Amino acid sequence: MVPMTASDTRTRGTDDVCCVPTAVPGLSAEEAARHVLVFKALSDPNRLRLLSIVKAGNDGEACVCDLTAPLDLGQPTVSHHLRILVDAGLLQREKRGTWAFYSLVPGSLERIAATLSGI
Amino acid sequence: MVPMTASDTRTRGTDDVCCVPTAVPGLSAEEAARHVLVFKALSDPNRLRLLSIVKAGNDGEACVCDLTAPLDLGQPTVSHHLRILVDAGLLQREKRGTWAFYSLVPGSLERIAATLSGI
DNA sequence: CACCTATATTGACATCCATCAATATTGCCG
DNA sequence: CGGCAATATTGATGGATGTCAATATAGGTG
């Protein structure tokens, strides 16, 4: 194998060399672990639908009982998903009387889009 | 409980009613299932780091042997993650000689950002 | 062809996660 | 206070997933 340093800027082709670590390490393990929390929250189809329904709801909010029927899921499961979305910073909860109303955290989706660019 | 139709535009408060399905159903189950594939691919810290290293690599590409060491993972595991990223449409693979070079699919991150807005 | 290197695939295993049933909590109303 | 309605929590369970060891494939070189 031909030796090749990290500062070598040649494009590597078939007859060239490989396995030269780049100078830029990319995302650290800590940054990656932080970013992944949001994507994990988005990694369930029912949670995507929850976000969608909440966003489309009256005044941009919806209560749990609005969300159980369209998803064909039990109430505890919906509460579970909502908790994950709140923990990820995507939804916020406001209790009014017996009901809990969920709404999008302003700017949260835009913040995720920015995270994507920074990857 | 006070009856309330779906076309009622009042804001629901403590002394009001709940459980009125919205006219707009939000994301369908099929759309959600399709969108979730990409977010699942982004839901692993090592895969985020792979994307980051590939993007920062020389000519925006990197081969598998560039990726094994910084992640402290075995080569089969790295290949496994790369496959998931390719299947999700985030990376593309080009084989040159013995080596396989991976690079970002142009516009893929921007497309995900657009997906987020459409949720 | 024989051998080596880089990458991919397979199988096994431990862990995580979505879901539900059952139960607890909270708040309203009589 | 007693009861009811809405939501949250807990425990259990089946299925998905990340990881590795072992093996297979493909391409280059002698």
Side-chain angles (χ1 to χ4, degrees):
Chain A
M1 265 215 207
V2 180
M4 185 174 183
T5 68
S7 59
D8 197 327
T9 55
R10 288 175 295 158
T11 297
R12 290 175 288 181
T14 303
D15 53 350
D16 218 323
V17 82
C18 194
C19 300
V20 180
T22 52
V24 183
L27 275 183
S28 73
E30 292 73 20
E31 290 170 317
R34 190 161 40 83
H35 290 331
V36 95
L37 295 179
V38 182
F39 294 121
K40 272 186 190 294
L42 294 170
S43 303
D44 182 274
N46 287 319
R47 285 199 287 271
L48 290 185
R49 301 186 72 189
L50 284 175
L51 287 176
S52 172
I53 297 174
V54 165
K55 189 179 177 186
N58 219 332
D59 277 13
E61 64 180 13
C63 68
V64 179
C65 56
D66 285 331
L67 301 167
T68 307
L71 261 60
D72 199 40
L73 288 179
Q75 173 267 319
T77 303
V78 172
S79 272
H80 168 70
H81 285 312
L82 289 170
R83 187 195 204 291
I84 290 176
L85 290 169
V86 169
D87 289 347
L90 290 163
L91 289 186
Q92 54 194 2
R93 193 182 95 119
E94 184 196 346
K95 196 154 192 188
R96 290 205 295 274
T98 315
W99 301 306
F101 287 83
Y102 288 85
S103 58
L104 271 179
V105 170
S108 55
L109 294 181
E110 291 78 2
R111 201 171 309 121
I112 299 173
T115 296
L116 277 173
S117 310
I119 275 177
Chain B
M1 267 216 205
V2 180
M4 185 174 181
T5 68
S7 60
D8 196 327
T9 54
R10 287 176 297 159
T11 299
R12 291 175 289 182
T14 303
D15 54 351
D16 219 322
V17 83
C18 194
C19 301
V20 180
T22 52
V24 183
L27 274 182
S28 73
E30 292 73 22
E31 290 170 317
R34 189 162 40 84
H35 289 154
V36 94
L37 295 178
V38 181
F39 294 121
K40 272 185 190 295
L42 293 171
S43 303
D44 182 275
N46 287 319
R47 285 198 288 270
L48 290 185
R49 300 186 73 189
L50 284 175
L51 287 176
S52 172
I53 297 174
V54 165
K55 187 179 177 185
N58 220 334
D59 276 14
E61 63 180 14
C63 69
V64 179
C65 56
D66 285 330
L67 301 167
T68 307
L71 262 60
D72 198 39
L73 288 179
Q75 172 267 318
T77 303
V78 171
S79 272
H80 168 70
H81 285 311
L82 289 170
R83 187 194 204 293
I84 290 176
L85 290 169
V86 170
D87 288 348
L90 290 163
L91 289 185
Q92 52 194 4
R93 194 182 94 119
E94 183 195 346
K95 196 154 191 189
R96 289 205 296 272
T98 315
W99 300 306
F101 288 83
Y102 288 85
S103 58
L104 271 180
V105 170
S108 55
L109 295 181
E110 291 78 1
R111 202 171 308 121
I112 300 174
T115 297
L116 277 174
S117 311
I119 276 178

